[in-house]
Amino acid sequence: MRRIFLLLPMLVLWSCQEEEISIPVEDNASFTAYPKGYFIQTREGVDTIKFEYNSEKKVIKRVGEWLELSGSTGFGNIFSKKLESRINYSGNKAILERFSKMEGINFPKDIQTYSFDGNRINDIIFTYQIRPNYTEKYVYTYENNQIKSIDLRVTDSHYTNDLRSRRDFYFNNNGNLDSLVYREASYDFYDESIPPYIDYKLKNRRVTTFSNYDGSQNPFQNLGIFTDLYYKSLSKNNFRKMETIEYDEDGEPTLGISQSTWDYQYQNGEVKVLK
Protein backbone atom coordinates (compact mmCIF):
# COMPACT_ATOMS: atom_id res chain seq x y z
CA MET A 1 0.00 0.00 0.00
CA ARG A 2 1.37 3.36 -0.95
CA ARG A 3 1.43 6.03 1.73
CA ILE A 4 0.56 9.46 0.38
CA PHE A 5 1.12 12.83 1.98
CA LEU A 6 -1.23 15.46 0.71
CA LEU A 7 0.34 18.75 -0.31
CA LEU A 8 2.18 20.10 2.72
CA PRO A 9 1.96 17.18 5.14
CA MET A 10 3.22 16.69 8.67
CA LEU A 11 6.25 14.47 8.85
CA VAL A 12 4.78 12.04 11.30
CA LEU A 13 1.21 11.89 10.07
CA TRP A 14 0.00 10.27 6.90
CA SER A 15 -2.98 8.41 5.52
CA CYS A 16 -2.86 5.18 3.57
CA GLN A 17 -4.76 5.36 0.31
CA GLU A 18 -5.21 2.94 -2.54
CA GLU A 19 -5.43 5.82 -5.01
CA GLU A 20 -4.03 9.30 -5.07
CA ILE A 21 -6.47 11.94 -3.90
CA SER A 22 -7.21 15.01 -5.97
CA ILE A 23 -7.71 18.08 -3.79
CA PRO A 24 -9.17 21.33 -5.09
CA VAL A 25 -6.98 24.24 -3.99
CA GLU A 26 -6.59 27.94 -4.52
CA ASP A 27 -4.63 29.17 -7.48
CA ASN A 28 -0.96 29.51 -6.59
CA ALA A 29 0.58 31.36 -9.51
CA SER A 30 3.77 32.32 -7.67
CA PHE A 31 5.86 31.05 -4.83
CA THR A 32 5.34 32.26 -1.26
CA ALA A 33 7.83 31.73 1.57
CA TYR A 34 5.10 32.49 4.11
CA PRO A 35 2.14 30.22 3.30
CA LYS A 36 -1.11 30.86 5.11
CA GLY A 37 -1.76 27.15 5.29
CA TYR A 38 -1.73 23.79 3.61
CA PHE A 39 -4.11 20.94 2.89
CA ILE A 40 -4.35 17.62 4.68
CA GLN A 41 -6.45 14.50 4.39
CA THR A 42 -8.46 13.51 7.46
CA ARG A 43 -11.04 10.78 8.11
CA GLU A 44 -13.76 13.30 7.29
CA GLY A 45 -12.13 14.46 4.04
CA VAL A 46 -9.92 17.35 3.00
CA ASP A 47 -9.11 19.99 5.60
CA THR A 48 -6.51 22.72 6.15
CA ILE A 49 -3.91 23.73 8.70
CA LYS A 50 -3.51 27.51 8.78
CA PHE A 51 -0.82 29.91 9.99
CA GLU A 52 -0.74 33.45 11.29
CA TYR A 53 2.31 35.74 11.26
CA ASN A 54 3.33 38.90 13.08
CA SER A 55 4.62 42.12 11.47
CA GLU A 56 8.14 40.64 11.41
CA LYS A 57 6.85 37.65 9.41
CA LYS A 58 7.42 35.28 12.28
CA VAL A 59 4.80 32.59 12.61
CA ILE A 60 2.76 33.08 15.80
CA LYS A 61 -0.09 30.60 15.48
CA ARG A 62 -0.98 27.32 13.83
CA VAL A 63 -4.69 26.56 13.71
CA GLY A 64 -5.46 22.89 13.30
CA GLU A 65 -3.65 20.10 15.14
CA TRP A 66 -3.60 16.35 15.40
CA LEU A 67 -4.56 14.79 18.72
CA GLU A 68 -3.13 11.38 19.57
CA LEU A 69 -5.72 9.13 21.17
CA SER A 70 -5.35 6.12 23.38
CA GLY A 71 -5.16 2.82 21.55
CA SER A 72 -8.25 1.66 23.44
CA THR A 73 -10.36 4.12 21.43
CA GLY A 74 -9.64 2.30 18.19
CA PHE A 75 -8.37 5.52 16.56
CA GLY A 76 -4.74 6.52 16.18
CA ASN A 77 -5.35 10.27 16.12
CA ILE A 78 -7.93 12.87 15.17
CA PHE A 79 -7.65 16.29 13.57
CA SER A 80 -9.45 19.43 14.74
CA LYS A 81 -9.25 23.15 14.04
CA LYS A 82 -10.14 23.68 17.68
CA LEU A 83 -6.58 22.65 18.53
CA GLU A 84 -3.90 25.32 18.19
CA SER A 85 -0.23 26.06 18.71
CA ARG A 86 0.65 29.62 19.76
CA ILE A 87 4.11 31.17 19.83
CA ASN A 88 5.17 34.20 21.85
CA TYR A 89 8.48 35.92 21.06
CA SER A 90 10.62 37.99 23.43
CA GLY A 91 14.11 39.01 22.34
CA ASN A 92 15.95 35.91 21.20
CA LYS A 93 13.47 33.60 22.95
CA ALA A 94 10.18 32.07 21.95
CA ILE A 95 7.67 29.93 23.82
CA LEU A 96 5.36 27.48 22.04
CA GLU A 97 2.28 26.11 23.76
CA ARG A 98 -0.69 24.07 22.58
CA PHE A 99 -4.28 24.99 23.36
CA SER A 100 -7.60 23.21 23.02
CA LYS A 101 -11.07 24.60 22.44
CA MET A 102 -12.53 21.12 22.16
CA GLU A 103 -15.04 20.14 24.81
CA GLY A 104 -13.51 17.62 27.18
CA ILE A 105 -10.00 17.96 25.72
CA ASN A 106 -7.34 19.83 27.65
CA PHE A 107 -3.67 19.85 26.75
CA PRO A 108 -1.23 19.58 29.67
CA LYS A 109 0.87 22.67 30.30
CA ASP A 110 3.81 21.34 28.32
CA ILE A 111 6.05 24.14 27.05
CA GLN A 112 8.71 24.38 24.35
CA THR A 113 11.17 27.22 24.96
CA TYR A 114 13.32 28.21 21.99
CA SER A 115 16.59 30.14 21.99
CA PHE A 116 17.60 31.76 18.68
CA ASP A 117 20.69 33.21 17.06
CA GLY A 118 19.08 35.36 14.40
CA ASN A 119 16.72 32.98 12.60
CA ARG A 120 18.63 29.86 13.66
CA ILE A 121 17.56 27.70 16.59
CA ASN A 122 20.27 27.39 19.24
CA ASP A 123 18.36 25.05 21.52
CA ILE A 124 14.89 23.97 22.60
CA ILE A 125 13.92 23.08 26.17
CA PHE A 126 10.87 20.86 26.66
CA THR A 127 9.14 20.91 30.05
CA TYR A 128 6.25 18.64 30.97
CA GLN A 129 3.45 19.24 33.44
CA ILE A 130 3.27 15.62 34.58
CA ARG A 131 7.07 15.43 35.03
CA PRO A 132 7.99 18.64 36.89
CA ASN A 133 11.56 17.53 37.66
CA TYR A 134 12.33 16.43 34.11
CA THR A 135 13.43 18.51 31.10
CA GLU A 136 14.68 17.69 27.63
CA LYS A 137 17.12 20.08 25.97
CA TYR A 138 17.86 19.81 22.25
CA VAL A 139 21.15 21.51 21.39
CA TYR A 140 21.70 22.53 17.74
CA THR A 141 25.16 22.68 16.11
CA TYR A 142 25.76 24.25 12.68
CA GLU A 143 28.44 24.04 10.02
CA ASN A 144 28.62 25.97 6.74
CA ASN A 145 25.24 27.57 7.50
CA GLN A 146 23.55 24.17 7.72
CA ILE A 147 22.46 22.10 10.67
CA LYS A 148 25.20 19.62 11.58
CA SER A 149 23.80 17.82 14.61
CA ILE A 150 21.16 17.93 17.34
CA ASP A 151 21.99 16.54 20.79
CA LEU A 152 19.36 15.51 23.30
CA ARG A 153 20.34 16.27 26.90
CA VAL A 154 18.16 15.35 29.86
CA THR A 155 17.97 16.87 33.32
CA ASP A 156 16.08 15.11 36.10
CA SER A 157 16.49 14.34 39.79
CA HIS A 158 19.61 12.26 39.08
CA TYR A 159 21.32 13.91 36.09
CA THR A 160 22.03 17.37 34.72
CA ASN A 161 22.37 17.92 30.97
CA ASP A 162 22.97 14.19 30.51
CA LEU A 163 23.65 13.36 26.86
CA ARG A 164 21.17 10.77 25.60
CA SER A 165 21.35 10.83 21.80
CA ARG A 166 22.57 12.67 18.71
CA ARG A 167 21.21 13.19 15.21
CA ASP A 168 23.85 13.95 12.56
CA PHE A 169 22.62 15.62 9.36
CA TYR A 170 24.07 15.27 5.86
CA PHE A 171 23.24 17.38 2.79
CA ASN A 172 23.82 16.84 -0.92
CA ASN A 173 25.39 19.29 -3.37
CA ASN A 174 21.99 20.74 -4.23
CA GLY A 175 21.48 22.01 -0.70
CA ASN A 176 18.90 19.34 0.12
CA LEU A 177 18.83 17.09 3.16
CA ASP A 178 20.22 13.71 2.13
CA SER A 179 20.11 11.76 5.39
CA LEU A 180 20.35 11.84 9.14
CA VAL A 181 21.89 9.28 11.46
CA TYR A 182 20.54 8.77 14.98
CA ARG A 183 22.79 7.30 17.66
CA GLU A 184 22.25 6.62 21.34
CA ALA A 185 24.83 7.88 23.81
CA SER A 186 27.41 5.46 25.26
CA TYR A 187 28.47 5.22 28.90
CA ASP A 188 31.63 4.13 30.68
CA PHE A 189 30.25 1.82 33.36
CA TYR A 190 33.68 1.42 34.93
CA ASP A 191 34.34 5.12 35.37
CA GLU A 192 31.28 7.22 36.17
CA SER A 193 33.37 10.38 36.05
CA ILE A 194 33.45 10.07 32.26
CA PRO A 195 30.35 11.80 30.85
CA PRO A 196 28.15 10.11 28.22
CA TYR A 197 29.47 10.36 24.68
CA ILE A 198 28.66 9.36 21.09
CA ASP A 199 30.78 6.41 19.97
CA TYR A 200 30.98 6.56 16.19
CA LYS A 201 32.74 3.19 16.10
CA LEU A 202 29.58 1.42 17.16
CA LYS A 203 27.51 0.09 14.28
CA ASN A 204 24.06 0.19 15.83
CA ARG A 205 22.24 3.28 14.59
CA ARG A 206 19.10 4.45 12.82
CA VAL A 207 19.48 6.01 9.36
CA THR A 208 16.79 8.09 7.68
CA THR A 209 17.23 9.03 4.02
CA PHE A 210 15.32 11.70 2.09
CA SER A 211 14.99 11.41 -1.67
CA ASN A 212 12.90 11.93 -4.82
CA TYR A 213 13.19 15.71 -4.57
CA ASP A 214 11.18 17.90 -6.89
CA GLY A 215 12.57 21.03 -8.56
CA SER A 216 10.21 23.42 -6.79
CA GLN A 217 11.03 25.92 -4.07
CA ASN A 218 10.39 24.85 -0.51
CA PRO A 219 7.50 26.67 1.20
CA PHE A 220 8.41 25.13 4.59
CA GLN A 221 11.66 26.98 5.12
CA ASN A 222 10.23 29.47 7.64
CA LEU A 223 8.19 26.91 9.57
CA GLY A 224 10.97 24.91 11.21
CA ILE A 225 9.87 26.01 14.68
CA PHE A 226 7.25 23.26 14.47
CA THR A 227 9.11 20.04 15.24
CA ASP A 228 6.95 17.99 12.86
CA LEU A 229 7.92 20.33 9.98
CA TYR A 230 11.58 20.78 10.90
CA TYR A 231 13.06 18.23 8.46
CA LYS A 232 10.93 19.70 5.69
CA SER A 233 12.27 23.17 6.40
CA LEU A 234 15.93 22.31 5.86
CA SER A 235 16.07 21.83 2.09
CA LYS A 236 15.85 24.05 -0.98
CA ASN A 237 13.39 21.68 -2.62
CA ASN A 238 10.78 19.16 -1.41
CA PHE A 239 11.52 15.50 -0.73
CA ARG A 240 8.82 12.99 -1.58
CA LYS A 241 10.31 9.84 -0.10
CA MET A 242 11.54 9.14 3.42
CA GLU A 243 12.98 5.80 4.51
CA THR A 244 14.31 4.76 7.91
CA ILE A 245 16.46 1.67 8.48
CA GLU A 246 17.69 0.44 11.85
CA TYR A 247 21.04 -1.34 12.12
CA ASP A 248 22.04 -3.72 14.89
CA GLU A 249 25.36 -3.94 16.74
CA ASP A 250 26.83 -5.91 13.83
CA GLY A 251 25.81 -3.25 11.33
CA GLU A 252 23.12 -5.44 9.82
CA PRO A 253 19.65 -4.07 8.98
CA THR A 254 16.92 -5.15 11.38
CA LEU A 255 13.21 -5.51 10.79
CA GLY A 256 12.78 -1.92 11.93
CA ILE A 257 12.36 -0.48 8.44
CA SER A 258 9.76 2.11 7.47
CA GLN A 259 9.16 3.92 4.20
CA SER A 260 6.80 6.71 3.16
CA THR A 261 6.22 8.19 -0.27
CA TRP A 262 3.80 10.87 -1.39
CA ASP A 263 2.98 13.34 -4.16
CA TYR A 264 2.40 17.07 -4.17
CA GLN A 265 0.10 19.04 -6.40
CA TYR A 266 1.68 21.89 -8.30
CA GLN A 267 0.60 25.13 -9.95
CA ASN A 268 3.01 26.85 -12.34
CA GLY A 269 5.83 24.68 -11.06
CA GLU A 270 5.31 25.45 -7.36
CA VAL A 271 3.69 23.44 -4.58
CA LYS A 272 0.10 24.54 -4.04
CA VAL A 273 -0.49 26.18 -0.69
CA LEU A 274 -2.87 28.65 0.90
CA LYS A 275 -1.80 32.22 0.16
Side-chain angles (χ1 to χ4, degrees):
M1 181 179 294
R2 191 182 189 190
R3 290 175 176 172
I4 301 175
F5 286 73
L6 300 173
L7 295 180
L8 303 188
M10 291 185 175
L11 283 176
V12 295
L13 300 172
W14 58 81
S15 60
C16 294
Q17 305 290 338
E18 293 293 345
E19 299 179 356
E20 293 183 10
I21 299 174
S22 178
I23 301 177
V25 296
E26 296 180 3
D27 181 51
N28 184 32
S30 61
F31 173 75
T32 175
Y34 303 94
K36 292 182 179 179
Y38 59 93
F39 295 84
I40 61 169
Q41 179 69 30
T42 71
R43 293 186 182 90
E44 289 72 33
V46 177
D47 214 322
T48 55
I49 292 176
K50 296 184 178 181
F51 302 105
E52 296 179 14
Y53 301 85
N54 64 15
S55 60
E56 297 177 343
K57 293 188 175 181
K58 293 180 179 179
V59 61
I60 57 173
K61 182 185 289 189
R62 178 166 69 176
V63 179
E65 298 272 353
W66 293 91
L67 178 66
E68 186 175 351
L69 300 177
S70 169
S72 62
T73 65
F75 297 96
N77 49 68
I78 60 172
F79 174 80
S80 175
K81 286 186 177 178
K82 294 184 178 181
L83 305 176
E84 300 179 354
S85 287
R86 303 174 193 170
I87 306 165
N88 293 309
Y89 298 87
S90 178
N92 68 335
K93 301 284 187 180
I95 293 178
L96 186 150
E97 297 180 83
R98 299 180 74 194
F99 296 88
S100 171
K101 298 177 182 177
M102 293 180 65
E103 183 177 354
I105 300 296
N106 293 302
F107 284 128
K109 291 294 183 181
D110 299 339
I111 296 175
Q112 301 173 26
T113 303
Y114 292 75
S115 174
F116 292 94
D117 179 9
N119 292 323
R120 298 196 315 192
I121 300 173
N122 277 340
D123 57 63
I124 314 174
I125 297 176
F126 285 65
T127 56
Y128 302 92
Q129 182 179 2
I130 63 172
R131 303 180 72 180
N133 297 319
Y134 175 88
T135 62
E136 295 174 350
K137 183 176 183 179
Y138 294 85
V139 181
Y140 290 57
T141 300
Y142 297 87
E143 183 176 77
N144 299 323
N145 294 319
Q146 291 176 324
I147 185 66
K148 179 182 180 183
S149 64
I150 300 177
D151 287 356
L152 168 59
R153 295 183 174 273
V154 168
T155 296
D156 57 19
S157 57
H158 302 287
Y159 302 96
T160 301
N161 282 329
D162 194 58
L163 179 65
R164 298 297 173 87
S165 66
R166 175 174 295 166
R167 284 173 283 170
D168 289 299
F169 294 77
Y170 301 92
F171 292 81
N172 61 29
N173 293 331
N174 294 323
N176 291 324
L177 181 62
D178 177 79
S179 59
L180 69 86
V181 182
Y182 172 89
R183 294 180 174 90
E184 299 281 354
S186 296
Y187 300 84
D188 192 322
F189 296 100
Y190 299 99
D191 187 350
E192 293 185 357
S193 66
I194 297 177
Y197 59 96
I198 302 299
D199 189 348
Y200 286 93
K201 295 180 181 179
L202 297 181
K203 296 180 180 180
N204 54 313
R205 64 202 188 279
R206 186 165 68 240
V207 179
T208 301
T209 56
F210 306 87
S211 60
N212 193 23
Y213 278 88
D214 61 19
S216 301
Q217 299 178 84
N218 180 4
F220 285 103
Q221 291 185 351
N222 293 300
L223 298 172
I225 196 169
F226 301 108
T227 55
D228 56 295
L229 297 180
Y230 181 72
Y231 296 158
K232 285 282 188 182
S233 74
L234 296 175
S235 299
K236 292 183 178 179
N237 307 116
N238 307 283
F239 60 82
R240 293 172 291 186
K241 180 179 179 180
M242 181 174 64
E243 181 180 68
T244 298
I245 301 177
E246 294 189 14
Y247 295 87
D248 61 22
E249 58 187 13
D250 297 317
E252 296 296 327
T254 69
L255 296 178
I257 299 176
S258 64
Q259 183 183 105
S260 298
T261 62
W262 58 93
D263 293 312
Y264 293 105
Q265 291 192 7
Y266 299 88
Q267 182 73 40
N268 296 329
E270 301 296 347
V271 174
K272 291 181 178 179
V273 294
L274 288 173
K275 296 179 62 179

